[in-house]
Amino acid sequence: MTDETVSVGPTRRQQWALSIAMFLITGAFGFLQTFTSLYLSAAGLQLKEIGLVTALGTAVAIFLQPVLGRLSDRWDTRRPFMVLAALGSAGAYLLFRKAAGFEQFVLLTALGVNGSQYLNTVGGVLVGRMVRATGGGTAYVRYRLWGSVGYIVVALTTGGIVKAYLPENATLNRADLDPLFTYAPLLFLAIAVASLFVPDVKNPPPTDRDTAPEAIEPPRTPQEQANLRWFLTAFFLYQFSLYGASAYLPLFMKSLGASPLHITAMYAGGVLIEVAVMSQVGRWVDTYGRWPALAASFLLLPVRLLLYVPANSPLHVMAVQTLHGFNFGIIGTIAIVFVNDLARNHERGTIQSRLAVTQGIGVALGPVVCGFLSDRFGIPTMFAVMAGGALLTAAVFWTRVRETHPSPKPLPAGWRFLQGAPMRPSGDGSG
């Protein structure tokens, strides 16, 4: 199998392989997001211990992500790393059934999260090398949309399977969830196969054998570097608030009397909205810029977290969870496009790994803090505190982050308050 250069577009087979890989990669989260915390709880871990497993496991993965990004840039290849990441995650989650205690769960979570994080990030790198900057939103969303479809299919399928073999109103025991962690991780083996065929566009060879890739493209300006730093700061706070709180949604639903199918349907409902949002947002941000869509997502997050506080039934939580479609439907895709705007071809893997590390730190620390708050004050109070953190996040984004689209059209009248300020062509680099 020959690798492509930037002058050769992906074949139809490669486009299908990338769509299938996205379907499976995000689909795997359809069972991980729903059942990992339930499995850890069934294995006897307390809420704060569940948060620590997530935090420590993710922390180990964080150290490996920049290494994988730099190596993939240096060797100018991504397929082998995708295969290894998929196989690592498959092995980790298959071994959950054998784990005996806190330490073993931490090690397995580290291996599983490292693989899934890299796979989730590399799609942005693959697409970023295939398209022009102004069309990056449409192109990435076109492929990532298949991931949301995969999430819905896997979430509803796994929830239905668990419900089918459990008695009505049964308490979830570890043995009840063991079959799920026997078969669902096999999705990662399918990802490994699909990864062999995805489009892996190469940098063009330099005209001078001694010319480094950095010399072919201009380096990022001080303004671009500052903009990236501020965006990663806001992105960290966003992930900290959202996924710290979301880690306890399955347990919150369970406390309200929800069945496994209700829990997976809660996530699937949000992803259905996500599909609708994604189908439009890529083209929209290529027209009007990245900033307005991202700003709307940042503003919505504190509202969503506050709406969980008075929930007293699974249906209430399911209704609020539909807002996740606007949160992740925008930031889950456009954050990658935003970072691609600021990256050069020879550093896309490295820059996207910085985004993954930032997300990983937020996902690692958030559940620890939320686990402490939930144990001490209850899950509803934890949601309220995280809503305050999300409001701070929105303030950071609105005041410090700048538009990256080179030539966005003005927003329609009445929506101009969402128009992002472009980066200054010159200045002190403050962003």
Side-chain angles (χ1 to χ4, degrees):
M1 181 184 304
T2 60
D3 290 319
E4 305 75 38
T5 67
V6 289
S7 61
V8 179
T11 65
R12 184 173 294 275
R13 183 186 70 175
Q14 291 163 345
Q15 293 178 43
W16 271 107
L18 183 54
S19 298
I20 291 170
M22 292 282 201
F23 178 94
L24 295 168
I25 289 167
T26 312
F29 284 96
F31 89 89
L32 292 175
Q33 189 175 39
T34 304
F35 290 104
T36 300
S37 62
L38 291 174
Y39 191 89
L40 294 174
S41 177
L45 274 65
Q46 302 300 313
L47 289 179
K48 60 184 178 182
E49 290 179 315
I50 294 172
L52 282 172
V53 166
T54 303
L56 295 174
T58 304
V60 174
I62 285 169
F63 287 107
L64 295 177
Q65 290 300 305
V67 176
L68 295 176
R70 283 195 295 268
L71 286 177
S72 67
D73 281 340
R74 180 176 300 174
W75 297 340
D76 201 15
T77 186
R78 283 137 292 276
R79 289 174 184 153
F81 292 97
M82 293 179 69
V83 172
L84 290 174
L87 293 177
S89 290
Y93 293 116
L94 284 171
L95 287 172
F96 255 47
R97 297 168 299 129
K98 305 295 183 182
F102 177 84
E103 294 82 2
Q104 292 184 15
F105 276 121
V106 169
L107 290 175
L108 292 176
T109 299
L111 181 59
V113 169
N114 182 66
S116 60
Q117 271 195 353
Y118 181 81
L119 292 167
N120 196 51
T121 301
V122 75
V125 179
L126 295 173
V127 177
R129 286 172 165 263
M130 291 161 46
V131 298
R132 297 181 300 114
T134 53
T138 303
Y140 179 70
V141 169
R142 184 170 68 245
Y143 290 105
R144 178 56 183 77
L145 195 62
W146 285 102
S148 297
V149 175
Y151 187 105
I152 295 170
V153 171
V154 172
L156 292 179
T157 300
T158 53
I161 290 173
V162 173
K163 179 178 173 59
Y165 63 73
L166 281 180
E168 191 69 27
N169 298 322
T171 300
L172 280 178
N173 297 312
R174 185 171 182 177
D176 297 327
L177 295 174
D178 276 343
L180 187 63
F181 281 82
T182 301
Y183 299 107
L186 299 180
L187 286 168
F188 287 104
L189 298 182
I191 294 169
V193 174
S195 299
L196 296 171
F197 302 97
V198 297
D200 195 359
V201 177
K202 302 296 185 181
N203 283 321
T207 54
D208 183 344
R209 188 180 296 271
D210 296 326
T211 301
E214 291 86 345
I216 299 174
E217 300 175 293
R220 279 178 286 122
T221 66
Q223 289 79 18
E224 289 174 321
Q225 293 173 7
N227 203 36
L228 179 61
R229 286 195 299 269
W230 279 113
F231 177 72
L232 292 178
T233 300
F235 187 72
F236 160 75
L237 294 170
Y238 190 101
Q239 302 298 314
F240 177 91
S241 299
L242 175 57
Y243 288 102
S246 295
Y248 297 93
L249 272 176
L251 298 172
F252 186 48
M253 284 282 283
K254 183 183 175 185
S255 72
L256 295 175
S259 70
L261 185 58
H262 281 135
I263 297 173
T264 54
M266 170 192 70
Y267 284 115
V271 178
L272 279 172
I273 304 299
E274 176 185 308
V275 170
V277 171
M278 282 187 180
S279 68
Q280 303 298 319
V281 73
R283 188 182 304 109
W284 197 91
V285 300
D286 284 342
T287 302
Y288 297 109
R290 324 312 189 193
W291 198 94
L294 288 168
S297 183
F298 274 88
L299 283 178
L300 179 62
L301 181 58
V303 175
R304 171 187 165 189
L305 292 175
L306 274 179
L307 289 175
Y308 287 126
V309 174
N312 56 9
S313 71
L315 287 179
H316 183 140
V317 179
M318 292 171 71
V320 177
Q321 183 65 15
T322 59
L323 296 177
H324 182 74
F326 296 94
N327 283 135
F328 192 83
I330 296 171
I331 202 165
T333 52
I334 308 308
I336 290 174
V337 177
F338 187 98
V339 170
N340 263 338
D341 289 345
L342 296 171
R344 306 298 187 256
N345 268 328
H346 69 270
E347 63 175 7
R348 289 195 190 278
T350 302
I351 298 301
Q352 289 290 350
S353 73
R354 288 180 63 183
L355 184 71
V357 167
T358 302
Q359 179 177 20
I361 295 173
V363 171
L365 296 179
V368 176
V369 174
C370 290
F372 171 80
L373 292 172
S374 298
D375 265 342
R376 187 75 179 269
F377 305 107
I379 293 179
T381 299
M382 176 270 291
F383 285 134
V385 174
M386 288 299 104
L391 192 61
L392 171 63
T393 300
V396 171
F397 180 86
W398 272 67
T399 58
R400 305 304 302 179
V401 178
R402 302 291 180 258
E403 177 63 73
T404 60
H405 191 294
S407 54
K409 291 183 178 179
L411 286 170
W415 295 96
R416 298 287 169 82
F417 71 97
L418 282 175
Q419 192 77 52
M423 287 182 290
R424 295 187 295 275
S426 62
D428 60 6
S430 62

